[in-house]
Coordinates of all heavy atoms in Angstrom, one line a residue:
K19 N -7.4 -8.3 13.5 CA -8.5 -7.3 13.5 C -8.0 -5.9 13.9 O -8.4 -4.9 13.3 CB -9.5 -7.8 14.7 CG -11.0 -7.6 14.4 CD -11.8 -8.4 15.2 CE -12.0 -7.7 16.6 NZ -12.8 -8.6 17.6
L68 N 19.6 0.1 16.7 CA 20.9 -0.3 17.2 C 21.5 -1.3 16.3 O 20.8 -2.4 16.0 CB 20.8 -0.9 18.6 CG 20.1 -0.1 19.7 CD1 19.6 -0.9 20.9 CD2 21.1 0.9 20.2
Q74 N 28.3 -3.6 22.3 CA 29.4 -4.4 23.0 C 29.1 -5.9 22.6 O 30.1 -6.7 22.7 CB 29.4 -4.2 24.5 CG 29.8 -2.8 24.9 CD 31.2 -2.5 24.8 OE1 32.0 -3.2 24.1 NE2 31.7 -1.4 25.3
R77 N 31.6 -7.1 20.4 CA 32.9 -7.3 21.0 C 32.9 -8.4 22.1 O 33.9 -8.4 22.9 CB 33.4 -5.9 21.7 CG 33.6 -4.9 20.7 CD 34.1 -3.6 21.3 NE 35.4 -3.8 22.0 CZ 35.5 -3.8 23.3 NH1 34.4 -3.6 24.1 NH2 36.7 -3.9 23.9
M88 N 19.3 -4.1 29.0 CA 18.3 -3.4 28.2 C 17.0 -3.3 28.8 O 16.2 -2.4 28.6 CB 18.3 -4.0 26.8 CG 19.5 -3.6 26.0 SD 19.6 -4.2 24.3 CE 18.3 -3.2 23.6
T135 N -2.7 -9.7 4.5 CA -2.8 -9.2 3.2 C -3.7 -10.1 2.3 O -4.4 -9.7 1.5 CB -1.4 -9.1 2.6 OG1 -0.6 -8.2 3.4 CG2 -1.4 -8.4 1.2
P181 N 11.4 -27.0 4.1 CA 11.4 -26.2 5.3 C 11.9 -27.1 6.5 O 12.0 -28.3 6.4 CB 10.0 -25.9 5.5 CG 9.2 -26.8 4.6 CD 10.1 -27.2 3.5
I185 N 9.4 -27.7 12.4 CA 8.3 -26.7 12.2 C 7.3 -27.3 11.3 O 6.1 -27.1 11.6 CB 8.9 -25.4 11.5 CG1 9.8 -24.7 12.6 CG2 7.8 -24.6 11.0 CD1 10.2 -23.3 12.2
M191 N 0.5 -30.5 13.2 CA -0.3 -30.7 14.4 C -1.4 -29.6 14.4 O -2.6 -29.9 14.7 CB 0.6 -30.6 15.6 CG 1.0 -31.9 16.1 SD 2.4 -31.8 17.2 CE 1.9 -30.5 18.3
F192 N -1.0 -28.4 14.2 CA -2.1 -27.3 14.2 C -3.1 -27.6 13.0 O -4.3 -27.4 13.2 CB -1.4 -25.9 13.9 CG -0.6 -25.5 15.0 CD1 0.6 -24.7 14.7 CD2 -0.9 -25.6 16.3 CE1 1.5 -24.2 15.7 CE2 -0.1 -25.1 17.4 CZ 1.1 -24.4 17.0
S198 N -6.6 -27.6 8.0 CA -5.9 -27.2 6.8 C -5.0 -28.3 6.3 O -4.7 -29.3 7.1 CB -5.0 -25.9 7.0 OG -3.9 -26.1 7.7
I202 N 4.3 -30.9 1.1 CA 5.6 -30.5 0.3 C 5.6 -31.4 -0.9 O 5.4 -32.5 -0.9 CB 6.9 -30.8 1.2 CG1 6.8 -30.1 2.6 CG2 8.1 -30.4 0.5 CD1 8.0 -30.4 3.5
D214 N -4.7 -20.3 -4.7 CA -5.2 -18.9 -4.7 C -4.1 -17.9 -4.5 O -4.3 -16.7 -4.7 CB -6.2 -18.8 -3.5 CG -7.3 -19.8 -3.6 OD1 -8.2 -19.7 -4.5 OD2 -7.3 -20.8 -2.9
M244 N 5.8 -15.6 -15.9 CA 4.5 -15.6 -16.5 C 4.1 -16.9 -17.1 O 2.9 -17.2 -17.1 CB 4.6 -14.5 -17.8 CG 4.7 -13.1 -17.3 SD 3.6 -12.5 -16.0 CE 2.1 -12.2 -16.9
T254 N -5.7 -15.6 -9.0 CA -4.6 -16.0 -8.1 C -3.7 -14.8 -7.8 O -3.4 -14.1 -8.8 CB -3.8 -17.2 -8.7 OG1 -4.7 -18.2 -8.9 CG2 -2.7 -17.6 -7.8
M257 N 2.6 -13.1 -4.2 CA 3.2 -12.4 -3.1 C 4.7 -12.7 -3.0 O 5.2 -13.7 -3.5 CB 2.5 -12.9 -1.8 CG 1.0 -12.6 -1.8 SD 0.2 -13.2 -0.2 CE 0.6 -11.9 0.9
Q266 N 15.7 -14.1 -10.7 CA 16.0 -15.3 -10.0 C 14.6 -15.9 -9.6 O 14.0 -16.6 -10.4 CB 16.9 -15.0 -8.8 CG 18.3 -14.7 -9.2 CD 19.3 -14.5 -8.1 OE1 19.1 -14.9 -6.9 NE2 20.4 -13.8 -8.4
L299 N 3.2 -4.0 24.1 CA 3.8 -2.9 25.0 C 2.8 -2.0 25.6 O 3.1 -1.0 26.1 CB 4.7 -2.0 24.0 CG 6.2 -2.4 23.9 CD1 6.3 -3.8 23.1 CD2 7.0 -1.4 23.1

Side-chain angles (χ1 to χ4, degrees):
K19 216 162 83 186
L68 302 160
Q74 296 289 10
R77 294 182 58 253
M88 286 183 67
T135 306
I185 292 194
M191 266 163 45
F192 292 143
S198 81
I202 303 179
D214 303 287
M244 292 310 276
T254 297
M257 302 182 75
Q266 291 184 19
L299 274 64

